[in-house]
Amino acid sequence: MNVKVNKLLMESPSIERLWAMPSASDESSPIGAAYLANRELGVRDFAPITNVYWGPSFSPSEVENALMETGAFGRYVVTRHDDVNAEVARLLSAGGIVARFRGRMEFGARALGNRSILAHPGNPDVIRIINEQVKNRDFWMPFAPSILTEWVDRYVASAVKTPSPHMMVGFESTALARIHLRTALHPYDLTMRPQMVTHEDAPDYHDLLTKFAALAGTGGVLNTSFNIHGKPIAMSPRDALTAFAESGLKVLALENFLLLKSSLGVT
């Protein structure tokens, strides 16, 4: 999980190719056991893990029941959208901060867009606002960007550009990244631990980032986990609604529903 060490390994001339296990802790031990068992059975050709959206998802009826049971329709401005990604992209491009709950939950410790708080990475105020609203992070805990894989060459300056779909490796940033992604870079050395988003691995999240790029001219967003400081990442619709109610967050995209605490403003 140490992206600085992984960066040094990636850049080492003695390392031909680096792949870091997403969420490399006790929760990944069963995966290692399965790989070991296959190897002992004679399997030698392993493909790296790509998509880790392995968690639960929820039906439209389950989402609507959670909205009704928590009284959300009476507490918030609630609208349903056929293309909620377009609405979220519009809010983000206008400087809003949006909690996003959509599709299957990510495995492990990194939020990869489906249980995330998102913001425009060029807005200098978002770090303060997110910390005041929900995160309360220390200065040495930087946020991270989700970037479209089509924009990687524009943002990643490292000579070695190994795929980084799970925020497990650090990279040097380009001059453009230091403008476009400023609040999602490390404040001291301007490195980043990006999630490089491909259409193959995360088509819906890729669609959101593409729509945001078309509006904002920026190929990535600031991405941090959707949870109140010290609590687990929201897993279910009820978890999302509880975190929304107990935080200063103003906007929640819950599947195809958009919830606003006020019809005035979006931050």
Side-chain angles (χ1 to χ4, degrees):
M1 300 300 288
N2 189 326
V3 299
K4 294 288 191 181
V5 171
N6 291 342
K7 177 178 182 292
L8 292 174
L9 289 170
M10 175 187 69
E11 295 170 344
S12 170
S14 62
I15 301 295
E16 180 179 332
R17 183 167 176 261
L18 176 70
W19 181 84
M21 175 65 205
S23 202
S25 188
D26 289 349
E27 67 271 14
S28 62
S29 295
I31 300 171
Y35 270 74
L36 177 61
N38 273 277
R39 188 171 183 85
E40 290 176 345
L41 290 171
V43 179
R44 292 290 184 268
D45 186 16
F46 294 110
I49 292 170
T50 53
N51 183 324
V52 292
Y53 298 101
W54 301 336
S57 61
F58 298 86
S59 67
S61 62
E62 289 175 308
V63 173
E64 291 192 40
N65 287 341
L67 289 166
M68 289 186 290
E69 291 167 2
T70 58
F73 288 109
R75 298 176 65 184
Y76 311 119
V77 178
V78 182
T79 53
R80 190 186 184 284
H81 301 270
D82 291 332
D83 188 354
V84 73
N85 284 342
E87 291 300 310
V88 172
R90 180 183 63 80
L91 291 169
L92 293 173
S93 66
I97 296 167
V98 180
R100 183 176 193 260
F101 180 106
R102 190 164 171 84
R104 297 190 67 171
M105 185 178 183
E106 307 88 334
F107 164 79
R110 304 281 198 226
L112 301 173
N114 287 7
R115 303 291 188 275
S116 291
I117 297 170
L118 308 177
H120 193 312
N123 181 352
D125 295 325
V126 297
I127 293 177
R128 173 185 56 81
I129 295 170
I130 292 174
N131 276 326
E132 289 177 353
Q133 288 183 351
V134 64
K135 300 300 286 192
N136 192 30
R137 295 174 78 112
D138 291 305
F139 73 94
W140 45 266
M141 298 173 67
F143 294 111
S146 294
I147 61 177
L148 290 164
T149 188
E150 295 88 348
W151 287 64
V152 166
D153 287 341
R154 282 176 265 188
Y155 290 155
V156 174
S158 302
V160 181
K161 294 188 177 74
T162 188
S164 176
H166 312 121
M167 296 183 175
M168 291 298 295
V169 184
F171 293 86
E172 301 291 335
S173 61
T174 64
L176 183 63
R178 295 172 188 182
I179 299 171
H180 283 190
L181 309 176
R182 184 66 180 83
T183 58
L185 306 181
H186 195 291
Y188 177 72
D189 63 9
L190 301 179
T191 58
M192 58 174 152
R193 53 175 177 90
Q195 173 195 4
M196 299 176 185
V197 182
T198 69
H199 181 268
E200 292 75 20
D201 292 338
D204 190 72
Y205 192 35
H206 187 276
D207 175 66
L208 168 59
L209 297 187
T210 301
K211 288 180 166 67
F212 173 76
L215 294 172
T218 298
V221 297
L222 180 150
N223 172 10
T224 188
S225 57
F226 182 16
N227 64 289
I228 295 174
H229 181 69
K231 294 188 177 181
I233 298 174
M235 180 190 72
S236 67
R238 186 175 287 274
D239 292 339
L241 290 164
T242 298
F244 186 54
E246 295 180 356
S247 71
L249 290 165
K250 300 298 196 305
V251 185
L252 168 61
L254 179 58
E255 295 297 343
N256 282 357
F257 290 94
L258 200 63
L259 286 72
L260 280 69
K261 286 183 176 173
S262 170
S263 58
L264 301 174
V266 295
T267 55

